[in-house]
Amino acid sequence: MSAEPSLAPSTAPSAWAPLRIAAYRSLWLALLASNIGTWMQTVGAQWLLVEQSGSDTLVAVVQTASTLPIVLLALPSGALADTLDRRRLLIAVQGFLVGVGTLLTVLTLAGRMPATLLLTLTFALGAGQALTAPAWQAVIPELVPRPQLASASALGAISMNLARAVGPAVAGVLIARTGAGVVFGLNTLTFAVFVLALWRWHPPAAGMADAPERFGAAVRAGGRYVRHSPVVRRILLRAALFLVPGSALWALLPLVASRRLGLGSGGYGILLGAVGVGAVAGALLLPRLRARWSVNRLLSVAGAVFAVVLVALGTARSETVVVVALLPAGVAWVMVLSSVNATMQLFLPNWVRARGLAVYQMIFAGAQAAGALAWGALSDASGLVVAHLAAAALMAAGVLTMRWWPLRDTSGMNQEPAVFWPEPHLELDPEDHDGPVLVTVSYPVSPAHEQAFVEAMEAVRRTRLRTGAARWGLFRDGEEPDRFVEAYLVPSWDEHRRQHTGRLTGTDRAAEERAQALADGPPRVTHLLSAR
């Protein structure tokens, strides 16, 4: 039975259901505190640079410095989350963030925080967040039952956007009264709170059928899965087409506040708070909207709304108009990202979930980092109006591409594990690291079914490459023309053994059965081991 969400309108469970689970509730509240601290940190760093430098590009680079580590470390972070104890990994990373935050706080309070050091420490905090995100996303299925995963994703959006509403406003008040150093200190305290919540959580010990994957092999396997999954690639494309132009709002808002509207840090916090309030409202409205609209229609409407908001921000001269425009911006932001994240999390098989979500985080951060740098540079060269209008035009163009590149319908796909390959019986006894392994599968196919068989094997090709094969080919026997031979190369025996024991899904099984139904008999499988 498929557990995947349809792209058609459907009812959605309450967003609050997972909070009835004590362990999830405790960690969610701690993460909410950490998210609030992160937004306070971002506002503090941006405002400190506004006061020190006055450079549009340098202010925008704060967002780049905080998100670039996710681009660089996302896939390794996902591999770590899939191979190490996730609770211990999260505790260690939060301890590192406490150390970085303490250094940032002390030096800022002492008046020894030049722009280059501020951006360096911001980058270090971003590295910690890069290690945190995939591990936390992968922990969620351990905390809540699968039917509540979509609700947990919505709660994640509510957490981030409550933080976006509260953090900037609190930071603005504190910066105006006490300075950025106190804001940095409170952010450091939130990391310690998250450590305490993780320390108190004791997940049940679960025996593992397989030893953890080697780190390098795990990274490569995650990359192969994403590369050969059309569904995942389309999800990532839709996210990028929204985030690149959408990042203009976050990158240029401090400049709109300070230069055009003449606001101080408190006023800037109010503007960000307006986006956050809209985002919280969007998270609460999302179940109703998804019951009425398909996901693709929801993404199109949200993108169009965001484009109009960017035009308003580029041309408005009134604080009231800007605040009003930022409310639907928050709604549109959470509509897109919550929908895309939930679709991604529900589609990914468990064995590669952390790595797949890490790649999503990489696109999420990379699109914003590149976009922020580009919009800041364009604003430096041509002004705020031109930068906002260019971003709005790019957002509108992205909405138009929905006609050709919509999210794929996964309602008929079964991503539950399917162990259906027979155990291989070899005379040789290979070690796990031995490889490569060449697997051949021979199929007798009558001339009447040849074309249909070749077409059906295309889905099998993607299955092999997603689950471990580095190379794949389909050949015809020159001596027996009615025999087709599938050959695929797997990097190691361990990698192939994992194909037998848990990487395949119900959808993979259906693809194999469609191809085998066109053959005139059962396939014959051989395993060729490296002679070296």
Side-chain angles (χ1 to χ4, degrees):
M1 178 179 178
S2 174
E4 305 309 322
S6 172
L7 296 184
S10 61
T11 58
S14 167
W16 309 109
L19 291 179
R20 300 189 183 101
I21 302 170
Y24 178 84
R25 182 173 63 248
S26 174
L27 290 169
W28 183 84
L29 289 171
L31 190 62
L32 172 62
S34 183
N35 286 337
I36 291 173
T38 297
W39 272 99
M40 292 170 63
Q41 157 75 29
T42 299
V43 172
Q46 286 182 322
W47 205 256
L48 202 56
L49 286 176
V50 166
E51 293 177 341
Q52 287 183 4
S53 69
S55 165
D56 295 13
T57 302
L58 199 57
V59 172
V61 165
V62 171
Q63 186 173 339
T64 303
S66 61
T67 54
L68 182 60
I70 300 178
V71 179
L72 301 177
L73 300 176
L75 196 51
S77 299
L80 288 174
D82 275 336
T83 56
L84 300 179
D85 182 283
R86 291 165 183 160
R87 173 177 171 269
R88 293 181 180 179
L89 176 62
L90 286 168
I91 290 174
V93 172
Q94 302 315 300
F96 166 76
L97 291 174
V98 168
V100 174
T102 300
L103 179 62
L104 178 60
T105 302
V106 170
L107 292 178
T108 302
L109 291 174
R112 299 179 177 275
M113 185 51 62
T116 52
L117 182 57
L118 175 61
L119 292 173
T120 299
L121 293 178
T122 300
F123 183 90
L125 291 173
Q129 296 296 338
L131 292 167
T132 298
W136 166 249
Q137 292 283 345
V139 157
I140 292 175
E142 301 177 24
L143 295 166
V144 302
R146 184 172 178 83
Q148 294 183 15
L149 281 178
S151 297
S153 179
L155 279 170
I158 290 174
S159 172
M160 287 189 295
N161 293 291
L162 273 174
R164 185 173 283 127
V166 174
V170 173
V173 172
L174 288 175
I175 292 169
R177 295 187 178 183
T178 63
V182 172
V183 169
F184 297 156
L186 289 175
N187 181 43
T188 302
L189 181 62
T190 65
F191 297 138
V193 170
F194 196 21
V195 169
L196 180 61
L198 289 165
W199 194 267
R200 294 179 59 188
W201 171 50
H202 296 286
M208 296 183 63
D210 287 313
E213 294 179 66
R214 293 175 178 240
F215 176 75
V219 171
R220 291 188 292 273
R224 280 196 302 269
Y225 183 88
V226 171
R227 188 164 65 252
H228 296 291
S229 174
V231 171
V232 171
R233 293 202 313 270
R234 183 61 56 83
I235 293 171
L236 297 177
L237 175 64
R238 293 301 344 157
L241 288 173
F242 177 80
L243 287 165
V244 170
S247 65
L249 185 148
W250 311 111
L252 302 178
L253 195 58
L255 303 172
V256 172
S258 62
R259 295 185 183 176
R260 179 177 296 168
L261 303 179
L263 300 177
S265 58
Y268 174 50
I270 290 174
L271 297 185
L272 281 177
V275 185
V277 169
V280 172
L284 296 176
L285 287 171
L286 191 57
R288 294 183 182 180
L289 294 174
R290 292 197 67 172
R292 296 182 179 182
W293 295 345
S294 69
V295 175
N296 284 318
R297 183 180 180 186
L298 189 150
L299 296 182
S300 297
V301 171
V305 168
F306 211 94
V308 172
V309 169
L310 289 172
V311 172
L313 292 178
T315 56
R317 304 287 173 175
S318 164
E319 181 181 350
T320 301
V321 172
V322 171
V323 169
V324 171
L326 290 173
L327 291 172
V331 175
W333 183 267
V334 80
M335 278 184 184
V336 173
L337 297 184
S338 292
S339 298
V340 170
N341 182 271
T343 302
M344 186 78 158
Q345 190 169 36
L346 287 168
F347 176 78
L348 288 168
N350 185 60
W351 71 270
V352 76
R353 180 173 289 125
R355 282 163 280 185
L357 289 168
V359 175
Y360 169 75
Q361 291 292 331
M362 180 171 64
I363 298 298
F364 179 86
Q368 291 188 82
L373 190 59
W375 303 127
L378 183 58
S379 180
D380 258 338
S382 304
L384 285 170
V385 174
V386 172
H388 279 98
L389 293 181
L394 187 59
M395 179 68 76
V399 172
L400 293 177
T401 65
M402 187 67 74
R403 180 176 180 180
W404 300 281
W405 302 324
L407 288 181
R408 295 174 182 266
D409 188 355
T410 60
S411 58
M413 298 184 183
N414 178 5
Q415 294 298 92
E416 293 296 323
V419 180
F420 60 96
W421 284 4
E423 186 71 19
H425 297 286
L426 307 181
E427 294 297 325
L428 300 177
D429 188 17
E431 299 290 336
D432 282 350
H433 64 272
D434 287 346
V437 178
L438 180 62
V439 183
T440 68
V441 188
S442 176
Y443 305 88
V445 182
S446 65
H449 294 151
E450 286 178 3
Q451 185 61 35
F453 175 78
V454 171
E455 293 173 358
M457 288 299 290
E458 177 61 23
V460 175
R461 179 187 72 86
R462 289 195 295 267
T463 290
R464 306 293 196 234
L465 293 171
R466 278 197 304 267
T467 58
R471 297 175 64 184
W472 182 94
L474 181 64
F475 305 89
R476 194 168 185 175
D477 192 326
E479 283 72 34
E480 297 181 57
D482 62 346
R483 183 168 298 278
F484 286 78
V485 179
E486 173 196 9
Y488 59 95
L489 193 69
V490 187
S492 69
W493 179 249
D494 177 65
E495 197 92 10
H496 179 60
R497 185 172 52 80
R498 291 176 189 277
Q499 291 181 305
H500 279 266
T501 59
R503 287 190 176 179
L504 299 176
T505 66
T507 298
D508 299 327
R509 181 173 189 169
E512 287 196 34
E513 289 176 346
R514 282 193 298 270
Q516 291 179 13
L518 296 167
D520 293 336
R524 179 176 179 271
V525 181
T526 63
H527 299 84
L528 305 179
L529 306 176
S530 174
R532 296 182 180 179

PDB file of all heavy atoms in Angstrom, residues 31 35 51 108 118 120 141 179 303 340 426 440:
ATOM      1  N   LEU A  31      14.008  23.243  20.078  1.00  0.00           N
ATOM      2  CA  LEU A  31      14.406  23.702  18.751  1.00  0.00           C
ATOM      3  C   LEU A  31      13.767  25.051  18.429  1.00  0.00           C
ATOM      4  O   LEU A  31      14.382  25.893  17.765  1.00  0.00           O
ATOM      5  CB  LEU A  31      14.005  22.663  17.702  1.00  0.00           C
ATOM      6  CG  LEU A  31      14.570  22.886  16.302  1.00  0.00           C
ATOM      7  CD1 LEU A  31      16.091  22.820  16.315  1.00  0.00           C
ATOM      8  CD2 LEU A  31      14.004  21.874  15.321  1.00  0.00           C
ATOM      9  N   ASN A  35      15.758  28.224  17.211  1.00  0.00           N
ATOM     10  CA  ASN A  35      15.421  28.970  16.000  1.00  0.00           C
ATOM     11  C   ASN A  35      15.235  30.455  16.291  1.00  0.00           C
ATOM     12  O   ASN A  35      15.645  31.316  15.506  1.00  0.00           O
ATOM     13  CB  ASN A  35      14.146  28.402  15.369  1.00  0.00           C
ATOM     14  CG  ASN A  35      14.369  27.072  14.682  1.00  0.00           C
ATOM     15  OD1 ASN A  35      15.481  26.751  14.288  1.00  0.00           O
ATOM     16  ND2 ASN A  35      13.322  26.285  14.565  1.00  0.00           N
ATOM     17  N   GLU A  51      25.792  49.342  10.742  1.00  0.00           N
ATOM     18  CA  GLU A  51      26.401  50.444  11.490  1.00  0.00           C
ATOM     19  C   GLU A  51      27.883  50.600  11.174  1.00  0.00           C
ATOM     20  O   GLU A  51      28.413  51.715  11.139  1.00  0.00           O
ATOM     21  CB  GLU A  51      26.218  50.211  12.991  1.00  0.00           C
ATOM     22  CG  GLU A  51      24.764  50.284  13.449  1.00  0.00           C
ATOM     23  CD  GLU A  51      24.617  49.986  14.931  1.00  0.00           C
ATOM     24  OE1 GLU A  51      25.559  49.373  15.503  1.00  0.00           O
ATOM     25  OE2 GLU A  51      23.590  50.349  15.513  1.00  0.00           O
ATOM     26  N   THR A 108      32.276  40.565  21.107  1.00  0.00           N
ATOM     27  CA  THR A 108      31.386  41.675  20.766  1.00  0.00           C
ATOM     28  C   THR A 108      31.205  42.609  21.954  1.00  0.00           C
ATOM     29  O   THR A 108      31.252  43.841  21.810  1.00  0.00           O
ATOM     30  CB  THR A 108      30.020  41.144  20.290  1.00  0.00           C
ATOM     31  OG1 THR A 108      30.217  40.293  19.160  1.00  0.00           O
ATOM     32  CG2 THR A 108      29.100  42.287  19.900  1.00  0.00           C
ATOM     33  N   LEU A 118      33.400  38.765  12.379  1.00  0.00           N
ATOM     34  CA  LEU A 118      31.968  38.513  12.534  1.00  0.00           C
ATOM     35  C   LEU A 118      31.477  37.542  11.464  1.00  0.00           C
ATOM     36  O   LEU A 118      30.748  36.586  11.757  1.00  0.00           O
ATOM     37  CB  LEU A 118      31.203  39.829  12.449  1.00  0.00           C
ATOM     38  CG  LEU A 118      29.669  39.723  12.475  1.00  0.00           C
ATOM     39  CD1 LEU A 118      29.188  39.085  13.771  1.00  0.00           C
ATOM     40  CD2 LEU A 118      29.034  41.098  12.292  1.00  0.00           C
ATOM     41  N   THR A 120      33.308  35.406   9.824  1.00  0.00           N
ATOM     42  CA  THR A 120      33.950  34.107  10.036  1.00  0.00           C
ATOM     43  C   THR A 120      33.198  33.290  11.082  1.00  0.00           C
ATOM     44  O   THR A 120      32.928  32.093  10.895  1.00  0.00           O
ATOM     45  CB  THR A 120      35.411  34.299  10.472  1.00  0.00           C
ATOM     46  OG1 THR A 120      36.122  34.998   9.452  1.00  0.00           O
ATOM     47  CG2 THR A 120      36.078  32.953  10.727  1.00  0.00           C
ATOM     48  N   PRO A 141      11.178  10.740  12.249  1.00  0.00           N
ATOM     49  CA  PRO A 141      10.441   9.473  12.138  1.00  0.00           C
ATOM     50  C   PRO A 141      10.651   8.537  13.326  1.00  0.00           C
ATOM     51  O   PRO A 141       9.869   7.599  13.504  1.00  0.00           O
ATOM     52  CB  PRO A 141      11.002   8.859  10.842  1.00  0.00           C
ATOM     53  CG  PRO A 141      11.489  10.024  10.050  1.00  0.00           C
ATOM     54  CD  PRO A 141      12.040  10.963  11.077  1.00  0.00           C
ATOM     55  N   GLY A 179      22.639  46.473  22.855  1.00  0.00           N
ATOM     56  CA  GLY A 179      23.664  46.154  21.877  1.00  0.00           C
ATOM     57  C   GLY A 179      23.589  44.720  21.401  1.00  0.00           C
ATOM     58  O   GLY A 179      22.902  43.866  21.981  1.00  0.00           O
ATOM     59  N   GLY A 303       3.859  31.519  -5.487  1.00  0.00           N
ATOM     60  CA  GLY A 303       4.912  32.195  -6.239  1.00  0.00           C
ATOM     61  C   GLY A 303       4.437  33.516  -6.822  1.00  0.00           C
ATOM     62  O   GLY A 303       5.163  34.515  -6.806  1.00  0.00           O
ATOM     63  N   VAL A 340       6.899  21.613  -0.116  1.00  0.00           N
ATOM     64  CA  VAL A 340       8.025  20.940  -0.751  1.00  0.00           C
ATOM     65  C   VAL A 340       8.736  20.023   0.240  1.00  0.00           C
ATOM     66  O   VAL A 340       9.087  18.872  -0.083  1.00  0.00           O
ATOM     67  CB  VAL A 340       8.992  21.988  -1.341  1.00  0.00           C
ATOM     68  CG1 VAL A 340      10.293  21.329  -1.781  1.00  0.00           C
ATOM     69  CG2 VAL A 340       8.352  22.697  -2.521  1.00  0.00           C
ATOM     70  N   LEU A 426      26.964 -18.103  -2.911  1.00  0.00           N
ATOM     71  CA  LEU A 426      28.234 -18.085  -3.622  1.00  0.00           C
ATOM     72  C   LEU A 426      29.164 -19.148  -3.073  1.00  0.00           C
ATOM     73  O   LEU A 426      29.135 -19.473  -1.875  1.00  0.00           O
ATOM     74  CB  LEU A 426      28.896 -16.709  -3.489  1.00  0.00           C
ATOM     75  CG  LEU A 426      28.060 -15.481  -3.871  1.00  0.00           C
ATOM     76  CD1 LEU A 426      28.901 -14.224  -3.706  1.00  0.00           C
ATOM     77  CD2 LEU A 426      27.547 -15.593  -5.289  1.00  0.00           C
ATOM     78  N   THR A 440      25.119  -9.757 -13.349  1.00  0.00           N
ATOM     79  CA  THR A 440      24.447  -9.920 -14.646  1.00  0.00           C
ATOM     80  C   THR A 440      23.119 -10.635 -14.424  1.00  0.00           C
ATOM     81  O   THR A 440      23.023 -11.544 -13.591  1.00  0.00           O
ATOM     82  CB  THR A 440      25.305 -10.719 -15.637  1.00  0.00           C
ATOM     83  OG1 THR A 440      25.411 -12.076 -15.197  1.00  0.00           O
ATOM     84  CG2 THR A 440      26.689 -10.096 -15.771  1.00  0.00           C
TER      85      THR A 440
END
